Amino acid sequence: MDIKFLGTGGAFDTDYLNSAALLEFRGMNLLIDCGFTVFPALVRKNLIQKVNHIILTHLHNDHCGSLANLLLYKSIVEKSPKPVIIYPSEQFKQQLCVFLEIQVKDPDKYADFVPLEQFDGITCVDTYGKHSEGMQTYSYIFEDEEKRIAYSGDLSRPEVLFDRLHKMPDIKTCVFHDITFTPDNVGHTYYKKLLPYMNGVEMYGYHCDPTKNPSDNPIRLVFYQQELMA
Ligand SMILES: [Zn+2]
Ligand SMILES: [Zn+2]
């Protein structure tokens, strides 16, 4: 299982591109989120042809804004088989289809939609309303024989993800968590709220402007980890 980030910025940190990652997992090349900077980043890095599965944490534009471009490109330019979009709930699939129908008319022509239950080793954590009021959001946990990766998505209440992780068998776990350095940011997790959860896991922060990182923050930022960047 290998994860490479395509960007690590927050919604407005365009210098650091939208937070998204390409995960090699159980034979898939799974794109986690597809915000408005992701399609051009994939093309620029020559990685777009690798993407064969897609999973989204939520439908804010910095997480899904270039999905239609990616689907159209795969069909029209690459002429590759339809990518699989893994969806965590019927309701989320409906929302995603409404979003795509406006842009591509018939989403089924460009992607195969498959429910998450059909994939071994992926757990979704429903984080509804814990990033933005009334907004459906998810965290995901990916697991193979030797390792577990947790990906928070946008989340201001880290306890929901860590409660789930603490109920799982003890294996090497790496947590990628959104992070903010502003205590009054209610949509994301203030770094000090993550400190109690650092024991026993490898933790990295993303979805931030790394230049704002306070000197007393012990959580490593994905942005500075060369080996985690695509
Ligand atoms: Zn975001
Ligand atoms: Zn968001």
Side-chain angles (χ1 to χ4, degrees), residues 3-83:
I3 189 164
K4 296 272 190 252
F5 278 73
L6 295 152
T8 62
F12 309 119
D13 307 320
T14 49
D15 285 351
Y16 306 100
L17 307 182
N18 299 154
S19 288
L22 196 53
L23 179 69
E24 279 181 22
F25 176 64
R26 296 182 182 242
M28 300 180 256
N29 286 295
L30 176 60
L31 177 64
I32 308 171
D33 282 342
C34 193
F36 56 87
T37 68
V38 171
F39 170 69
L42 285 167
V43 172
R44 197 167 53 240
K45 290 176 185 295
N46 224 355
L47 290 169
I48 190 145
Q49 70 288 343
K50 279 187 86 174
V51 176
N52 52 25
H53 289 70
I54 301 160
I55 196 164
L56 301 181
T57 59
H58 64 301
L59 298 179
H60 277 154
N61 218 38
D62 59 317
H63 298 264
C64 68
S66 70
L67 178 60
N69 308 68
L70 181 148
L71 296 180
L72 291 169
Y73 180 93
K74 290 216 152 269
S75 166
I76 298 165
V77 180
E78 273 181 11
K79 299 185 194 332
S80 51
K82 289 194 269 188

Side-chain angles (χ1 to χ4, degrees), residues 123-183:
T123 304
C124 70
V125 181
D126 188 335
T127 57
Y128 178 87
K130 294 179 175 66
H131 161 50
S132 178
E133 202 187 331
M135 182 88 188
Q136 181 64 66
T137 46
Y138 293 97
S139 300
Y140 295 108
I141 301 166
F142 305 94
E143 192 172 308
D144 63 16
E145 312 74 49
E146 59 207 32
K147 195 179 172 189
R148 182 181 295 137
I149 284 180
Y151 192 94
S152 70
D154 288 2
L155 179 60
S156 65
R157 305 265 301 275
E159 59 274 17
V160 279
L161 175 58
F162 286 97
D163 283 353
R164 179 68 67 93
L165 284 170
H166 289 147
K167 287 181 188 133
M168 295 178 131
D170 199 15
I171 61 166
K172 186 169 151 41
T173 299
C174 187
V175 178
F176 295 95
H177 211 290
D178 80 328
I179 194 165
T180 177
F181 308 124
T182 316

